[in-house]
Amino acid sequence: MSESSDDAETTDEIMRATYRALFQHGYSATTISKIADEFDKSKSLIYYHYEDKEELLGAFLEYLLDQLESDLAASDGEDPKSHLLEVVDLLLPSELEDERFTFLRALLELRAQAPYHESYREQFERSDELVVSLLVDAIEWGIEEDVFRAVNSREVAEFVYSTAYGAIERGVTVDDPSVLHENRGYIESYLEATLFKYS
């Protein structure tokens, strides 16, 4: 195995250890030591790659965003409606496992730190724009295919994304996954009333 492959594998292992630490401890209680506890290799190897917790978590956000981009790129529904709903499902899954809900709490804590850490802010800005752009593309595809009404695609995309994010924030804050599920239904009703020509 080449050195670059070794580095890529080590990075992947560090990212998985970071995920587990955030899932178990949340943002504020996660330290390099807690991440090292989840990492099968030496703690010094983490410090070899990352100077401190903030640098590591900035890289972790980038890693998550790269995965999100891959997932979204794979969501190629056969028609505009199914494609749009696949993107919505990545934001607010119809079935939300306890582990993912708990991890969303850690991500929300990270987002709250974005005003104070430029690397976090850059990744969240990139993530937000990526999701909104994908929603816009899906909506414009449906308009071109004459299955969606002619609307301002950016406005609809921003509304859907803001509603989904607000649902995540509310649900996580009050520790109630049903808030996400209910708002997923509201988003689908909104899209049906606003966009879909043919139900």
Side-chain angles (χ1 to χ4, degrees):
M1 188 179 289
S2 68
E3 184 177 352
S4 60
S5 296
D6 284 342
D7 285 345
E9 184 178 323
T10 297
T11 298
D12 196 55
E13 289 174 9
I14 292 171
M15 295 300 107
R16 288 198 298 269
T18 303
Y19 176 93
R20 290 191 294 271
L22 284 169
F23 167 67
Q24 290 183 30
H25 307 290
Y27 168 80
S28 58
T30 294
T31 62
I32 294 288
S33 292
K34 294 273 178 64
I35 294 169
D37 290 343
E38 303 294 330
F39 184 54
D40 290 337
K41 298 178 181 174
S42 162
K43 178 179 177 179
S44 62
L45 196 54
I46 297 176
Y47 279 112
Y48 175 78
H49 286 83
Y50 305 100
E51 185 175 324
D52 54 26
K53 172 183 168 178
E54 279 66 39
E55 184 180 351
L56 172 52
L57 291 180
F60 177 69
L61 286 172
E62 184 174 9
Y63 175 84
L64 284 184
L65 185 53
D66 289 343
Q67 285 196 324
L68 175 63
E69 284 183 296
S70 296
D71 291 344
L72 290 168
S75 65
D76 54 355
E78 296 177 358
D79 58 80
K81 182 176 176 180
S82 65
H83 179 63
L84 178 59
L85 292 176
E86 282 182 16
V87 176
V88 170
D89 197 53
L90 286 167
L91 296 172
L92 286 178
S94 51
E95 298 294 330
L96 187 66
E97 297 174 355
D98 290 344
E99 179 178 335
R100 182 164 179 189
F101 184 76
T102 302
F103 182 68
L104 284 174
R105 182 180 298 119
L107 270 187
L108 192 61
E109 291 180 278
L110 272 169
R111 188 180 276 269
Q113 298 301 313
Y116 316 107
H117 298 286
E118 185 177 358
S119 63
Y120 298 3
R121 185 167 60 253
E122 288 173 353
Q123 296 305 326
F124 280 117
E125 286 173 350
R126 178 182 160 211
S127 173
D128 291 351
E129 184 53 39
L130 169 67
V131 174
V132 170
S133 295
L134 283 159
L135 289 168
V136 166
D137 290 346
I139 293 165
E140 290 184 349
W141 179 23
I143 294 170
E144 289 169 10
E145 294 290 321
D146 196 35
V147 293
F148 293 169
R149 296 180 181 91
V151 296
N152 184 316
S153 57
R154 182 81 189 190
E155 286 181 4
V156 173
E158 289 281 1
F159 182 79
V160 168
Y161 183 60
S162 295
T163 302
Y165 178 72
I168 292 168
E169 185 173 19
R170 282 184 54 220
V172 166
T173 301
V174 299
D175 195 28
D176 185 0
S178 71
V179 172
L180 280 68
H181 182 72
E182 288 171 6
N183 279 270
R184 163 63 187 261
Y186 300 151
I187 288 173
E188 289 188 12
S189 296
Y190 166 77
L191 291 174
E192 185 169 348
T194 305
L195 279 183
F196 302 158
K197 281 188 171 184
Y198 314 106
S199 299

